[in-house]
Amino acid sequence: MKFAVVVFPGSNCDVDMYHAIADELGEEVEYVWHDEDDLDRFDAILLPGGFSYGDYLRSGAIARFSKVMAAVKQAADAGKPVLGVCNGFQILLEAGLLPGAMRRNQGLKFICRPVQLTVENHETMFTSAYEKGEVITIPIAHGEGNYYCDEQTLERLVKNRQIVFRYHGENPNGSLADIAGIVNERGNVLGMMPHPERAVDALLGSADGLKLFRSIVNYWRETHVVTA
């Protein structure tokens, strides 16, 4: 399986994402600059965290116009796994690949620490390696992680089981309904504020994020079985 790590001006978690795939997962991965217009050679697309274009206007508001985003949308439409973490989640929201919007943290401060999450839906291509209701520890690092959507959108998210992760025990940023991560209706685009790529080895304090990447690979292998 071959992963693409999309790099925007201001990305700063791209190396962490690359390490998680290459060194911990053992799969093929390549950095892709933001002006790339073809992602057909990749099986999964990863949008890392950081401060794309300095977070000017709004987080992700400029990056959504990058040339590569047309190819990201094409990959999503083709059913390929697309993962946006932190700033990557914000970009997916701005691009309309996921519903809702991101606001400043409720306390108006940047937060950087491990948090606990509940796996709300373990039946997605991103979470099949987890147990239903499993509580995991993943770090956050953001100033604008306060997810918001209107009442009708929230009802759809709940009805369609699109809420994949919720903050457990404590909501660090005021996010609506404790939402930490959601998928699109098709289930192949995941946006989440916590950083699973920073939780892939016990030496980092948690290896709980590695299951997310293993889930993606497991899904790919199950759907790309070559029969004689």
Side-chain angles (χ1 to χ4, degrees), residues 83-142:
L83 170 65
V85 173
C86 199
N87 190 226
F89 185 10
Q90 295 160 344
I91 295 170
L92 292 176
L93 291 171
E94 291 287 342
L97 289 172
L98 290 172
M102 207 63 70
R103 304 184 297 183
R104 292 283 304 278
N105 292 345
Q106 193 171 55
L108 303 180
K109 292 183 179 180
F110 186 90
I111 305 171
C112 182
R113 58 181 171 83
V115 298
Q116 288 191 317
L117 308 176
T118 301
V119 180
E120 292 289 322
N121 184 352
H122 72 303
E123 297 178 334
T124 76
M125 65 176 69
F126 303 97
T127 56
S128 62
Y130 295 106
E131 299 294 330
K132 181 179 180 181
E134 184 174 349
V135 177
I136 61 177
T137 300
I138 307 286
I140 58 172
H142 58 252

Side-chain angles (χ1 to χ4, degrees), residues 216-225:
I216 298 174
V217 173
N218 291 341
Y219 169 82
W220 183 83
R221 288 175 177 168
E222 289 170 3
T223 55
H224 289 75
V225 175

Side-chain angles (χ1 to χ4, degrees), residues 21-137:
I21 302 302
D23 301 324
E24 300 294 343
L25 199 61
E27 297 293 332
E28 189 175 357
V29 59
E30 183 180 320
Y31 292 118
V32 175
W33 194 232
H34 65 101
D35 61 356
E36 178 76 58
D37 61 1
D38 185 359
L39 297 176
D40 288 347
R41 64 191 184 277
F42 298 103
D43 303 302
I45 315 301
L46 309 176
L47 276 62
F51 303 91
S52 58
Y53 295 93
D55 279 353
Y56 287 106
L57 301 183
R58 287 186 311 275
S59 298
I62 298 178
R64 67 154 315 237
F65 293 106
S66 293
K67 191 175 183 179
V68 74
M69 288 308 297
V72 172
K73 289 182 179 181
Q74 186 177 16
D77 290 342
K80 292 182 180 181
V82 176
L83 170 65
V85 173
C86 199
N87 190 226
F89 185 10
Q90 295 160 344
I91 295 170
L92 292 176
L93 291 171
E94 291 287 342
L97 289 172
L98 290 172
M102 207 63 70
R103 304 184 297 183
R104 292 283 304 278
N105 292 345
Q106 193 171 55
L108 303 180
K109 292 183 179 180
F110 186 90
I111 305 171
C112 182
R113 58 181 171 83
V115 298
Q116 288 191 317
L117 308 176
T118 301
V119 180
E120 292 289 322
N121 184 352
H122 72 303
E123 297 178 334
T124 76
M125 65 176 69
F126 303 97
T127 56
S128 62
Y130 295 106
E131 299 294 330
K132 181 179 180 181
E134 184 174 349
V135 177
I136 61 177
T137 300

